[in-house]
């Protein structure tokens, strides 16, 4: 039976045969090149990260890889100043960032400013240990727990 148009096959491949992270990379690179986003974060398997970082290097796009688990990494890429900031701020799992570090990262990733302010205030008010990712829909693997 044919799959409906727009539905991804269950093999993790886009309809054009590319692995989904590589397919998404093209979209993120387009947005970055047009100035829509100064920086992007993708949570990937280590296998997919090798492919993505190779493609970023071929295009001379600055990037930083953060280990999440043995099998997963976060790849941050984009504006060299933003990536340098990530290198200096993100030195621990994302779910252990201080409210200030979390705010900086969210802002660099282009998340809604008002939402970031509310998130910061909630985290600061509750104390970092009580304001983890649970109520905010984010986990330690990525800011939203999904591949960007």
């Amino acid at each position: 039976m044919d799959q409906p148009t727009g539905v991804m096959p269950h093999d993790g491949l886009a309809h054009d045969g590319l692995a989904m992270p590589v397919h998404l990379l093209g979209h993120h690179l387009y947005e970055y090149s047009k100035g829509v986003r100064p920086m992007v974060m993708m949570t990937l398997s280590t296998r997919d990260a090798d492919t993505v970082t190779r493609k970023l290097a071929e295009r001379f796009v600055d990037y930083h890889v953060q280990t999440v688990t043995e099998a997963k990494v976060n790849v941050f890429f984009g504006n060299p100043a933003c990536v340098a900031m990530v290198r200096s701020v993100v030195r621990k799992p994302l779910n252990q960032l201080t409210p200030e570090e979390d705010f900086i990262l969210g802002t660099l990733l282009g998340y809604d400013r008002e939402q970031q302010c509310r998130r910061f205030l909630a985290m600061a008010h509750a104390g970092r240990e009580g304001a983890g990712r649970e109520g905010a829909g984010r986990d330690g693997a990525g800011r939203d727990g999904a591949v960007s």
Side-chain angles (χ1 to χ4, degrees):
M1 184 167 169
D2 290 331
Q3 291 212 15
T5 304
V7 174
M8 294 302 303
H10 294 287
D11 59 5
L13 299 177
H15 288 291
D16 58 9
L18 293 173
M20 191 52 154
V22 176
H23 184 75
L24 285 172
L25 176 65
H27 174 74
H28 290 317
L29 284 171
Y30 175 80
E31 287 187 344
Y32 169 65
S33 72
K34 296 299 181 188
V36 174
R37 295 177 181 228
M39 190 176 72
V40 176
M41 181 189 84
M42 296 177 74
T43 302
L44 305 164
S45 71
T46 52
R47 180 181 50 94
D48 289 334
D50 289 340
T51 302
V52 166
T53 57
R54 187 177 68 252
K55 291 187 177 296
L56 292 171
E58 289 170 358
R59 289 166 177 79
F60 303 102
V61 176
D62 199 20
Y63 67 89
H64 172 68
V65 178
Q66 176 200 33
T67 301
V68 176
T69 67
E70 194 172 304
K72 287 194 316 188
V73 297
N74 290 327
V75 177
F76 299 90
F77 65 90
N79 179 299
C82 293
V83 175
M85 185 69 164
V86 166
R87 283 188 187 108
S88 69
V89 171
V90 181
R91 297 177 175 260
K92 54 192 160 196
L94 299 183
N95 64 347
Q96 294 177 13
L97 296 178
T98 66
E100 293 82 5
E101 292 165 337
D102 184 88
F103 182 84
I104 290 167
L105 181 59
T107 302
L108 290 174
L109 289 168
Y111 294 173
D112 178 82
R113 287 185 198 108
E114 182 180 349
Q115 201 171 32
Q116 284 302 117
C117 289
R118 290 178 189 198
R119 179 175 169 79
F120 171 82
L121 292 170
M123 290 171 67
H125 177 74
R128 184 54 170 132
E129 56 283 343
R133 306 291 181 197
E134 302 79 30
R138 299 175 184 164
D139 68 17
R143 289 189 45 95
D144 62 5
V147 173
S148 301

